[in-house]
Amino acid sequence: MKKPVTIKNILIFAILTLTSAFFLIPLAWVLASSLRPAGSLYEYANPLTWKTFFPANITLENYRKIFVDLLFGRAILNSLFVSISTVFFGVLVSSMAGFALAKFRFRGRQLIFVIVLVTFMVPFESIVIPLYVLVRGIGLENSYAALILPGVGNGLGIFLFKQFFEEVPNELLEAARMDRASWFRIYAQILLPLCMPAIATVVVMTFMFQWNSLFWPLVATHSSRFEVVQVAVAANRMSEDTSWANLFSAAIAGSLPPVVVFLFLQKYFIQGISGTGLKT
Amino acid sequence: MFKSRGAAWLFVLPALILLLLFKVWPIGVSFFESVMQTSFSGRRSFVGFENYSYLFKHDPTFWNSVKVTFFYSILVNPLIIIVSLTMALLLNGGHAFTKFFRTVFFLPTAISFSVVAVIFAVVLDPYYGLANSFLKLLGLPGQPFFGSQDQALWCIIWLSVWRSAGYWMMYYLAGLQNIPKTIYEAAEIDGANGFQRLFKLTLPLLTRTTSFVLVSNTAFNFLMFAPVYIITRGGPRGSTNLLMYESYTSAFVNSDMGRASAITSILLAIILVFSFIELKITKAKFEY
Amino acid sequence: MKRFIVVLLVLFLAVGMTTAQNLEVLWMGWPKDQVMPLINEFQAKNPGIKIDIQLIPFGQLFQTIEVRLASGGGTPDVYIVDGPNTASYAARKYLLPLDEYFSPAEKNAWFKSSIKTGTYNGQFVSVPYGTSSAGLFFNKAIFEKYGVPFPSEKISGRMTWEEVVDLAKKLTIDIDKDGKPEIWGICIEQIDRPYLLFPLMQSLGAEVLSPDGFETKGYITSDKFVRAASFYGKLFNEWKVSPQGINDSAIAREYFGTGKAAMMLGNEWNIARLSKFTNLQYGLAPFPYFAGGVPVTPTGSWHVGINPKTANKEAAIAFVKYMTGKDAVMKWYKLNGIAPARPDVYAALPADFSNPMWQLFLHEMNNTAVARPDTPGYSQYELILRETFNAIHYGADPKKSLEDAAARIDRELKRFK
């Protein structure tokens, strides 16, 4: 279908450009500053010149410094491993639980739903000490498991899947049951493919949650081989100084993998659901 | 609804075990802390609701935090929803530029709140920051931003919107994709125009997504404290002293786990109340 | 039989030597390339000890220490201690008493004020690692441009605060008359921290805490304390010679380094860290005092402590002695630039420390330095005072703010009695 260039499109484009400016400007400045030789922080912020966003001497020295001297690459790999593992198990576990809560009537259903809700309304900081004692008690301290497992059970993910599954007509499932399909087959072959946007959402949500975690990795692991990306970024703020160039380049470098994940998953947001059985 | 109890429990068990172990148990311990007081030498004593009653009756800082937190929440939540919904609506089409803009709006989410706070502190520097340079360019006076009692909380709201809107936009995009195109085609045939389609079709059909976004966003924002910790430390003069920041300092600076846990329990109660109200209001009534 | 025992002994020793001890160290998040050379050197010299070091970003350092220690385990074995927090950790039995491992002769190696900070209830519990001092940096170019003579860089020429304000007024310049000075007279590196502000009060003779360490009423609410706090508030609100809202010392340094402030009240680490501003020509004047009062300078920095529950006591002590020993501290200074807590390092590096600025700081450390007060409730005491100073610098009434603060602090400190 050809998209005509209408006034509406131009208006949309204008609004988007203005809003993007709001979002982009701080980022562009951070990016430009990370590509400049490490120097003064405000030199190009004030006054405003074209050099503010387009550095006169572009250099990759700051990136070299964090990857070579400060082992930033290791932090990225650690975070990738932890995030992807949590996503894999998290989607599995949350979708199964969401299915149960959406489609089955059983004793304890309401209580479990309340538990699910409460678990994301309590701040991490208030549970960190008992959680650490527990993790240490079951022997998981200083391991990838300590980073992954607490993030697999995710109340928000379960809530999201429950919402999506509730919109699937029961007739679909009844038909499959009449064909003598097992519940697991119904879950895996009918429901999961139907909720690709939900899966994509939970993937991004879980991935971001793990990618952004800072305090728990510091508490739960102590060997430097487990260092995660946000710790590596935050380490550029020291007690006596802040290394702005390193901080900015680390922030930018550390934000790229999630953006790649998001870009990759975007097509699941474009996919329509026409003709997949939701017609009444 | 189906009645196969055995299957239901099998499906829900892995999540339940994980949640009970890694969330419910620590939450229980934390509640327990809120009715105890630990003296410095380690003596623990049960004090009933004394921590709570102290907060309510003798602690003006607590009440100031409640005021600030409510003010913040009532402003930031609708703002984020409106911004993210608008962005999702604008970027739902197959236009050539949508992928680029979606990524741009999403990018801030990939930076941790702490680093976003540092960036904003620098960009909104009262004298030499980027924001004031732009204002100067437009001939407007420079603003104190985080240095002003009146502006600081708004800056934190702005920071939250900047950082989170792209994230919630993504949920709305998923929700929008869940609406079959056939509905719009039918509406067009019936002669409905753009606005009617938006308010009578799209928005009601997005109710599930909105309820999800609203509830989780409410929780997120009640539990917000990183920008306060990094930039304003509750100031200027208590104008940004969010409840979670009070709890955080009680726990990690004052080693007063009793007060910290009491505050988070109160926060949980507030969040639950808000969430149930929000769920009731946005109960999806549409089947298509 | 005798041969059998000998063989057994040899085997026993062999096993003991090859089983490496694993030491868990919790450290401040300095850059890896600064810390690891020291760790590697220690491990090379002590093949039986393996160091597992965790570098924690400053913003999360104290919280992580709290979680680890509160959970009651035997780790970390060794951890970094911010000097004034020694009392708090020691009172909660988080620090191993060290008197039996450090002889009085060994303790002489550190500055007296550092040893005092590292001692609680008569027990030596945290080993000094770094220390600090502060002074008044000034931008020579700005002074020259506006025809103001440089302040004296000699101890004998120490300025009074009144004189400093005079200079600051002359050098707060609003070029485009928009109400916002392009150049500020003075900026304060750690704008609201008791560390840098106590010397003002103490210069007037005020005390900042009761001798037993549990009461602030009558001390931070005394006339002298309030007078000094009012002076501080006026810098921002009445004379307007100092910019409000600098929430990071790195930002204050940016202001000074790029010529946006004529003077900066700042720490000794600036000698190393101002070098990145290649166009900056600066001098260092002694920390000011109040006319009729005494010169007082701040001091104190990082210490190192050992977890009393450690399973590797000998290794921990060996590691601590190494890290705080003369050689390692010399290397650490070269890598990082923080002031060493040992006088012998200064003597051993004349090339670095014979310059007049360091000599000035050394004089202060030996003569006018006053360590922060000793109290188990230091963190909350400091935080509430910091919030109070912050409010005062934004214009709150000093007397009322300090009275409210005293009430809040004393309630907190009561828990520690």
Side-chain angles (χ1 to χ4, degrees):
Chain A
M1 198 167 81
K2 204 169 77 113
K3 288 268 181 236
V5 180
T6 59
I7 302 231
K8 184 172 128 194
N9 282 7
I10 297 181
L11 205 63
I12 293 180
F13 190 80
I15 297 179
L16 283 171
T17 315
L18 269 156
T19 332
S20 311
F22 167 70
F23 277 86
L24 256 187
I25 285 177
L27 278 175
W29 181 70
V30 169
L31 177 64
S33 302
S34 75
L35 292 170
R36 270 191 271 268
S40 155
L41 175 64
Y42 292 121
E43 204 176 332
Y44 295 101
N46 175 284
L48 217 52
T49 64
W50 66 269
K51 282 212 199 120
T52 305
F53 297 106
F54 298 98
N57 320 320
I58 295 198
T59 169
L60 288 177
E61 168 61 20
N62 301 318
Y63 291 94
R64 186 209 68 83
K65 178 130 181 82
I66 59 172
F67 276 100
V68 173
D69 295 340
L70 302 176
L71 304 179
F72 197 68
R74 179 182 64 182
I76 291 197
L77 286 175
N78 275 330
S79 284
L80 276 174
F81 176 67
V82 170
S83 303
I84 293 177
S85 310
T86 313
V87 161
F88 176 73
F89 291 113
V91 169
L92 214 63
V93 160
S94 295
S95 56
M96 293 195 333
F99 174 40
L101 289 174
K103 289 302 179 196
F104 291 91
R105 184 172 297 125
F106 58 98
R107 277 242 314 258
R109 180 172 162 265
Q110 294 290 34
L111 176 64
I112 294 183
F113 183 53
V114 171
I115 290 179
V116 163
L117 275 187
V118 166
T119 56
F120 68 82
M121 296 176 182
V122 176
F124 173 69
E125 287 71 23
S126 72
I127 60 171
V128 64
I129 294 182
L131 187 61
Y132 174 62
V133 172
L134 173 73
V135 164
R136 218 181 45 187
I138 59 183
L140 286 181
E141 199 239 354
N142 209 37
S143 69
Y144 282 111
L147 296 175
I148 296 172
L149 278 180
V152 172
N154 186 334
L156 270 184
I158 299 174
F159 186 38
L160 188 75
F161 276 116
K162 172 176 177 297
Q163 301 275 59
F164 266 74
F165 284 142
E166 275 171 356
E167 291 186 4
V168 175
N170 286 349
E171 294 81 42
L172 209 63
L173 296 139
E174 279 160 8
R177 278 303 270 176
M178 283 203 284
D179 285 345
R180 307 186 106 257
S182 78
W183 282 116
F184 194 76
R185 261 191 58 189
I186 293 181
Y187 158 78
Q189 292 181 342
I190 299 183
L191 283 172
L192 277 188
L194 271 182
C195 66
M196 276 311 180
I199 292 183
T201 309
V202 173
V203 166
V204 178
M205 172 174 83
T206 314
F207 189 90
M208 291 315 303
F209 170 75
Q210 284 291 39
W211 193 262
N212 280 328
S213 58
L214 170 57
F215 194 30
W216 177 243
L218 282 172
V219 168
T221 63
H222 61 262
S223 295
S224 52
R225 63 179 186 273
F226 293 112
E227 192 189 36
V228 297
V229 76
Q230 296 304 339
V231 172
V233 175
N236 291 302
R237 290 190 80 214
M238 294 161 284
S239 47
E240 64 276 2
D241 199 5
T242 300
S243 174
W244 300 108
N246 289 355
L247 181 68
F248 290 157
S249 53
I252 298 282
S255 68
L256 289 179
V259 168
V260 167
V261 168
F262 177 69
L263 266 173
F264 173 69
L265 288 174
Q266 274 203 59
K267 65 176 190 214
Y268 292 103
F269 298 134
I270 299 182
Q271 216 176 58
I273 310 189
S274 50
T276 50
L278 283 182
K279 289 203 286 272
T280 45
Chain B
M1 284 269 150
F2 295 88
K3 273 219 168 104
S4 177
R5 275 216 320 263
W9 276 101
L10 274 176
F11 275 103
V12 90
L13 210 57
L16 192 61
I17 293 177
L18 286 167
L19 284 179
L20 284 173
L21 198 60
F22 293 116
K23 288 261 161 58
V24 176
W25 161 254
I27 291 175
V29 173
S30 149
F31 278 144
F32 180 63
E33 285 289 345
S34 74
V35 294
M36 308 281 280
Q37 248 173 36
T38 315
S39 86
F40 215 48
S41 50
R43 274 190 331 264
R44 265 235 200 93
S45 46
F46 177 75
V47 291
F49 287 110
E50 196 185 300
N51 286 324
Y52 293 93
S53 68
Y54 184 85
L55 284 174
F56 290 129
K57 292 203 205 130
H58 305 292
D59 200 340
T61 331
F62 171 73
W63 285 112
N64 177 58
S65 295
V66 170
K67 199 178 68 165
V68 171
T69 309
F70 268 81
F71 188 74
Y72 170 74
S73 285
I74 289 174
L75 286 168
V76 81
N77 287 317
L79 213 61
I80 289 183
I81 299 236
I82 294 174
V83 172
S84 54
L85 177 57
T86 312
M87 295 193 316
L89 287 170
L90 289 175
L91 293 176
N92 192 27
H95 309 289
F97 47 82
T98 42
K99 231 184 191 181
F100 170 73
F101 280 116
R102 277 187 211 157
T103 314
V104 165
F105 293 144
F106 183 74
L107 229 113
T109 313
I111 307 180
S112 85
F113 246 109
S114 309
V115 178
V116 169
V118 174
I119 293 176
F120 260 69
V122 167
V123 167
L124 296 182
D125 182 278
Y127 307 105
Y128 308 113
L130 204 62
N132 275 325
S133 307
F134 269 101
L135 287 178
K136 221 191 310 187
L137 210 66
L138 297 171
L140 297 166
Q143 298 301 315
F145 295 124
F146 287 111
S148 148
Q149 248 182 300
D150 304 309
Q151 294 182 357
L153 194 62
W154 283 103
C155 292
I156 295 194
I157 293 175
W158 178 0
L159 195 163
S160 299
V161 174
W162 187 83
R163 203 275 181 162
S164 319
Y167 181 72
W168 301 114
M169 167 193 78
M170 185 195 62
Y171 288 81
Y172 270 118
L173 282 173
L176 281 170
Q177 290 308 319
N178 220 15
I179 304 175
K181 291 217 166 50
T182 48
I183 296 207
Y184 290 114
E185 285 158 14
E188 260 189 81
I189 293 177
D190 281 347
N193 67 29
F195 269 117
Q196 286 174 322
R197 285 209 303 272
L198 175 64
F199 284 99
K200 290 217 152 65
L201 268 186
T202 314
L203 288 183
L205 284 173
L206 279 178
T207 313
R208 270 199 206 286
T209 315
T210 302
S211 82
F212 175 80
V213 173
L214 198 55
V215 170
S216 18
N217 197 36
T218 304
F220 263 45
N221 279 306
F222 270 115
L223 301 177
M224 177 74 62
F225 75 99
V228 181
Y229 171 65
I230 296 204
I231 312 176
T232 61
R233 304 209 157 241
R237 314 201 29 195
S239 59
T240 60
N241 198 8
L242 294 173
L243 266 174
M244 190 56 214
Y245 175 68
E246 269 297 304
S247 174
Y248 187 75
T249 45
S250 284
F252 294 108
V253 178
N254 304 352
S255 309
D256 191 348
M257 291 314 294
R259 181 172 188 265
S261 305
I263 295 182
T264 52
S265 310
I266 294 173
L267 266 172
L268 173 63
I270 297 177
I271 296 174
L272 274 173
V273 166
F274 268 70
S275 300
F276 279 120
I277 295 178
E278 285 163 354
L279 279 174
K280 275 265 168 339
I281 294 179
T282 60
K283 219 170 177 60
K285 291 189 175 72
F286 269 76
E287 299 289 337
Y288 51 85
Chain C
M1 186 59 183
K2 207 150 78 157
R3 250 206 317 202
F4 178 66
I5 296 180
V6 169
V7 167
L8 213 60
L9 266 169
V10 170
L11 267 172
F12 184 80
L13 280 167
V15 168
M17 283 201 291
T18 51
T19 329
Q21 282 190 292
N22 199 27
L23 210 58
E24 235 184 88
V25 177
L26 193 156
W27 212 241
M28 156 65 196
W30 285 299
K32 294 175 189 62
D33 53 353
Q34 290 176 7
V35 178
M36 292 319 286
L38 294 171
I39 303 299
N40 294 334
E41 185 184 282
F42 177 79
Q43 290 182 136
K45 291 193 174 143
N46 296 273
I49 307 180
K50 213 175 93 50
I51 304 285
D52 206 355
I53 187 165
Q54 184 181 19
L55 301 172
I56 302 189
F58 184 59
Q60 284 73 33
L61 177 63
F62 300 116
Q63 298 83 329
T64 313
I65 293 179
E66 287 295 323
V67 174
R68 289 281 172 75
L69 296 174
S71 64
T75 57
D77 298 289
V78 174
Y79 61 101
I80 196 131
V81 172
D82 189 28
N85 285 336
T86 301
S88 167
Y89 295 143
R92 289 181 285 170
K93 312 252 187 300
Y94 289 160
L95 284 172
L96 179 75
L98 299 169
D99 289 291
E100 57 185 284
Y101 308 107
F102 288 86
S103 70
E106 280 175 291
K107 278 162 75 172
N108 259 342
W110 292 290
F111 288 112
K112 291 266 175 309
S113 64
S114 298
I115 293 288
K116 182 172 174 298
T117 301
T119 307
Y120 180 71
N121 270 355
Q123 284 184 320
F124 182 51
V125 285
S126 73
V127 186
Y129 189 45
T131 186
S132 66
S133 186
L136 191 66
F137 294 86
F138 63 92
N139 185 321
K140 290 185 172 170
I142 297 181
F143 274 76
E144 275 171 4
K145 181 167 178 187
Y146 292 95
V148 180
F150 294 163
S152 167
E153 299 188 61
K154 293 201 170 67
I155 292 284
S156 52
R158 193 190 298 269
M159 287 192 288
T160 64
W161 276 111
E162 292 79 1
E163 288 168 327
V164 171
V165 171
D166 229 28
L167 287 179
K169 284 182 186 167
K170 291 192 186 124
L171 291 170
T172 300
I173 320 257
D174 187 357
I175 298 178
D176 53 9
K177 302 276 180 274
D178 63 348
K180 291 239 156 51
E182 271 62 44
I183 299 179
W184 292 94
I186 180 170
C187 69
I188 299 185
E189 188 184 5
Q190 297 186 68
I191 201 171
D192 50 12
R193 294 208 83 159
Y195 166 84
L196 203 55
L197 300 176
F198 275 164
L200 273 75
M201 290 82 192
Q202 290 163 328
S203 174
L204 279 181
E207 278 171 32
V208 301
L209 187 62
S210 64
D212 67 355
F214 293 112
E215 205 177 344
T216 54
K217 186 153 182 280
Y219 297 89
I220 68 173
T221 50
S222 69
D223 287 333
K224 293 180 178 160
F225 198 102
V226 173
R227 237 181 76 199
S230 305
F231 171 85
Y232 162 75
K234 287 183 187 164
L235 287 170
F236 305 95
N237 298 291
E238 190 177 301
W239 305 309
K240 304 205 178 161
V241 295
S242 192
Q244 289 171 322
I246 300 180
N247 48 57
D248 194 328
S249 73
I251 294 184
R253 195 165 20 258
E254 287 288 329
Y255 279 37
F256 180 72
T258 54
K260 299 178 172 61
M263 297 184 278
M264 176 173 75
L265 190 68
N267 271 61
E268 86 296 341
W269 57 55
N270 284 299
I271 296 183
R273 299 187 183 277
L274 284 173
S275 55
K276 71 176 182 183
F277 300 103
T278 43
N279 292 332
L280 179 69
Q281 298 285 336
Y282 67 94
L284 175 66
F287 201 100
Y289 71 116
F290 280 108
V294 287
V296 173
T297 53
T299 191
S301 183
W302 300 103
H303 286 220
V304 188
I306 299 181
N307 189 336
K309 297 188 180 159
T310 173
N312 302 302
K313 210 182 289 189
E314 280 74 40
I317 296 188
F319 179 71
V320 171
K321 287 202 176 188
Y322 164 76
M323 285 302 267
T324 57
K326 179 173 159 203
D327 285 326
V329 172
M330 268 171 61
K331 292 204 178 60
W332 175 242
Y333 166 77
K334 290 239 178 252
L335 289 164
N336 179 278
I338 288 189
R342 314 174 55 106
D344 54 10
V345 172
Y346 295 94
L349 291 173
D352 292 79
F353 293 114
S354 61
N355 82 55
M357 292 190 191
W358 271 112
Q359 288 300 311
L360 174 71
F361 284 133
L362 270 167
H363 177 271
E364 305 281 40
M365 285 194 264
N366 281 313
N367 293 290
T368 58
V370 172
R372 281 162 283 186
D374 231 351
T375 169
Y378 185 77
S379 332
Q380 40 274 65
Y381 163 73
E382 208 241 358
L383 182 67
I384 295 178
L385 261 180
R386 188 177 172 185
E387 283 171 15
T388 312
F389 286 139
N390 189 279
I392 293 176
H393 111 286
Y394 275 125
D397 173 59
K399 190 163 168 64
K400 177 150 195 332
S401 307
L402 286 165
E403 280 168 1
D404 288 343
R408 280 175 67 199
I409 298 176
D410 289 348
R411 188 190 89 86
E412 293 288 336
L413 291 182
K414 258 213 304 269
R415 287 172 52 231
F416 300 122
K417 281 208 158 138

